[in-house]
C-alpha cells in the first residue's frame, strides 16, 4: 500500500461529513476504478439523475482535463469527482461554473491547510506555482436550453513527487507536496462540496459579479503578461479582466487592442507581482 494512501472514501463516512443541501445529497456513486467519472455522471444525467448527483472514483483509467488532456489518476491518493448540475442559466454563462469551482476549490483548500491556492485562468488551481487541481465542465443542450452540466474536478491531495511521471514532475503538485503532511480526503471533499454549493448559488441567484470579484482576487493570470493562439495567430498582451461570460480580456501588446479569449491555452510570460509574493 502506498505510504500516503488513506482508507477508501465510503458513502457513509462522506454523508456524515457533508454540510450541503443539494450536492451529494440525493445519489452518490463511488467506484474503485472507472474510465472517467464525467462519462459515468453523463450516463446518469441522461437517465434523469437529479441535480447534485455525485460520482467519485479511487482511480480513473481515462480521466481527462481540458483540450482532451489525460488527467493523471493514481489510486487512493486524490479526489476525482463529477457532479450533475441542472442550472437555469443561458449557455453563455455556463463557463462561469468553471470559475465558481475554482473559487470553491481555493476557498476550501485555504481553509483546511492555511495556504490559499491561486487560479490560472480558467481552471487550474496552483499552490506554490504547481498545479494541484483541474476542472472540466461539459454542457449538454437541446436547442438553446441547457439540460445539464457535468462538472468534473480532480484535486491532488496526498500525491507525492515520486508518484508523478517525469513529464509532470516539474509542474504538478498536491497538498502533501506543498505541506509535507497527508490530509483527510473526506474532509477536503466535503469542504469543496460545501464551497461549491455556495458559489453555485451565486450563479443561480444572479450574483455573478460577486463571484467574479472573488475570482479576480485569486486569479494570477490577471495583470500578468500572457501569450495565446487566436485564429492561428500568436498573440501576446496583458490580461486585464474576466467578463460576465468568463472570458479573459487581454490588451494586445502590439497595438493595445482589446481581445476576448474564451477557450484554448493561455501561457503566462510573467506573473503579476502580488501572486509572486503569494507563491513564496
Amino acid at each position: 500500500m502506498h505510504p500516503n494512501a488513506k482508507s477508501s472514501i465510503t458513502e457513509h463516512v462522506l454523508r456524515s461529513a457533508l454540510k450541503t443541501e443539494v450536492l451529494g445529497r440525493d445519489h452518490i456513486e463511488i467506484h474503485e476504478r472507472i474510465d472517467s467519472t464525467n462519462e459515468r455522471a453523463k450516463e446518469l444525467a441522461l437517465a434523469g439523475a437529479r441535480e447534485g448527483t455525485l460520482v467519485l472514483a479511487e482511480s480513473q483509467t481515462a480521466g481527462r482535463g481540458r483540450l482532451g488532456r489525460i488527467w493523471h489518476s493514481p489510486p487512493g491518493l486524490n479526489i476525482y469527482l463529477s457532479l450533475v448540475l441542472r442550472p437555469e442559466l443561458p449557455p453563455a454563462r455556463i463557463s462561469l461554473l468553471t470559475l465558481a469551482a475554482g473559487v470553491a476549490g481555493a476557498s476550501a483548500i485555504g481553509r483546511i491547510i492555511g495556504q490559499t491556492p491561486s487560479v490560472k485562468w480558467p481552471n487550474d488551481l496552483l499552490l506554490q506555482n504547481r498545479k494541484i487541481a483541474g476542472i472540466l465542465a461539459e454542457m449538454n443542450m437541446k436547442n438553446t436550453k441547457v439540460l445539464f452540466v457535468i462538472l468534473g474536478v480532480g484535486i491532488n491531495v496526498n500525491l507525492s513527487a515520486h508518484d508523478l511521471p517525469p513529464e509532470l514532475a516539474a509542474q504538478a503538485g498536491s497538498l502533501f507536496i506543498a505541506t509535507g503532511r497527508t490530509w483527510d480526503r473526506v474532509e477536503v471533499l466535503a469542504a469543496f462540496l460545501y464551497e461549491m454549493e455556495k458559489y453555485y448559488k451565486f450563479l443561480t441567484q444572479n450574483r455573478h459579479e460577486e463571484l467574479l470579484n472573488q475570482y479576480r482576487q485569486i486569479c494570477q493570470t490577471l495583470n500578468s503578461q500572457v501569450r495565446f493562439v487566436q485564429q492561428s495567430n500568436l498573440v501576446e498582451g496583458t490580461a486585464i479582466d474576466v467578463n460576465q461570460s468568463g472570458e479573459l480580456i487581454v490588451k494586445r501588446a502590439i497595438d493595445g487592442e482589446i481581445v476576448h479569449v474564451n477557450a484554448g491555452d493561455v501561457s503566462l510570460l510573467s506573473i503579476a507581482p502580488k501572486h509572486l509574493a503569494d507563491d513564496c
Side-chain angles (χ1 to χ4, degrees):
M1 184 177 180
H2 192 287
N4 287 0
K6 301 294 185 181
S7 57
S8 296
I9 297 172
T10 66
E11 183 173 347
H12 172 73
V13 171
L14 176 57
R15 285 193 183 278
S16 68
L18 285 178
K19 296 180 181 177
T20 53
E21 297 173 3
V22 176
L23 302 187
R25 288 298 184 183
D26 183 58
H27 179 71
I28 297 175
E29 274 193 12
I30 302 176
H31 300 264
E32 279 297 315
R33 184 179 172 90
I34 197 172
D35 54 354
S36 162
T37 56
N38 263 33
E39 284 303 310
R40 176 57 183 156
K42 183 179 178 180
E43 290 175 4
L44 293 171
L46 289 169
R50 291 170 62 180
E51 178 158 88
T53 293
L54 173 64
V55 179
L56 295 164
E58 287 293 334
S59 69
Q60 298 181 104
T61 59
R64 64 187 187 276
R66 287 176 67 250
L67 309 179
R69 295 190 179 112
I70 298 299
W71 181 262
H72 187 58
S73 308
L77 299 173
N78 305 319
I79 294 168
Y80 316 115
L81 73 89
S82 295
L83 286 164
V84 176
L85 301 175
R86 298 186 181 276
E88 293 288 334
L89 291 171
R93 291 285 174 91
I94 292 301
S95 59
L96 292 178
L97 281 172
T98 300
L99 277 58
V103 174
S107 179
I109 290 166
R111 187 152 48 86
I112 289 172
I113 74 168
Q115 299 179 46
T116 300
S118 59
V119 179
K120 176 179 176 289
W121 182 90
N123 72 329
D124 291 348
L125 284 186
L126 306 180
L127 197 57
Q128 298 175 3
N129 221 29
R130 288 172 172 264
K131 180 174 176 177
I132 61 161
I135 300 155
L136 177 66
E138 298 182 301
M139 176 172 57
N140 187 284
M141 293 176 56
K142 184 174 184 180
N143 299 323
T144 59
K145 180 176 173 56
V146 177
L147 298 180
F148 61 83
V149 177
I150 304 302
L151 182 71
V153 180
I155 303 174
N156 290 345
V157 180
N158 293 321
L159 186 85
S160 75
H162 301 296
D163 301 309
L164 291 166
E167 64 271 18
L168 296 178
Q171 295 89 29
S174 69
L175 306 193
F176 173 79
I177 291 172
T179 63
R181 57 155 288 189
T182 57
W183 297 89
D184 182 342
R185 290 185 298 151
V186 171
E187 181 185 8
V188 176
L189 174 56
F192 170 74
L193 292 172
Y194 176 80
E195 295 291 334
M196 184 64 219
E197 186 165 279
K198 179 172 76 174
Y199 289 109
Y200 182 47
K201 287 179 181 177
F202 277 33
L203 294 181
T204 58
Q205 295 172 358
N206 203 29
R207 296 161 63 191
H208 305 94
E209 197 57 36
E210 289 180 68
L211 170 65
L212 287 169
N213 284 337
Q214 294 276 352
Y215 186 84
R216 290 172 180 127
Q217 289 177 27
I218 61 169
C219 182
Q220 71 163 225
T221 311
L222 295 183
N223 302 312
S224 297
Q225 303 305 304
V226 299
R227 175 189 292 150
F228 57 94
V229 176
Q230 191 169 64
Q231 296 176 341
S232 301
N233 296 316
L234 192 65
V235 180
E236 293 186 2
T238 303
I240 59 175
D241 203 359
V242 176
N243 69 13
Q244 290 279 329
S245 297
E247 296 173 324
L248 187 67
I249 302 174
V250 177
K251 184 176 182 180
R252 268 194 337 202
I254 193 170
D255 57 8
E257 183 181 341
I258 300 299
V259 295
H260 293 198
V261 187
N262 58 21
D265 254 352
V266 172
S267 300
L268 297 181
L269 302 180
S270 67
I271 301 174
K274 78 166 189 170
H275 289 293
L276 284 173
D278 291 346
D279 285 335
C280 291

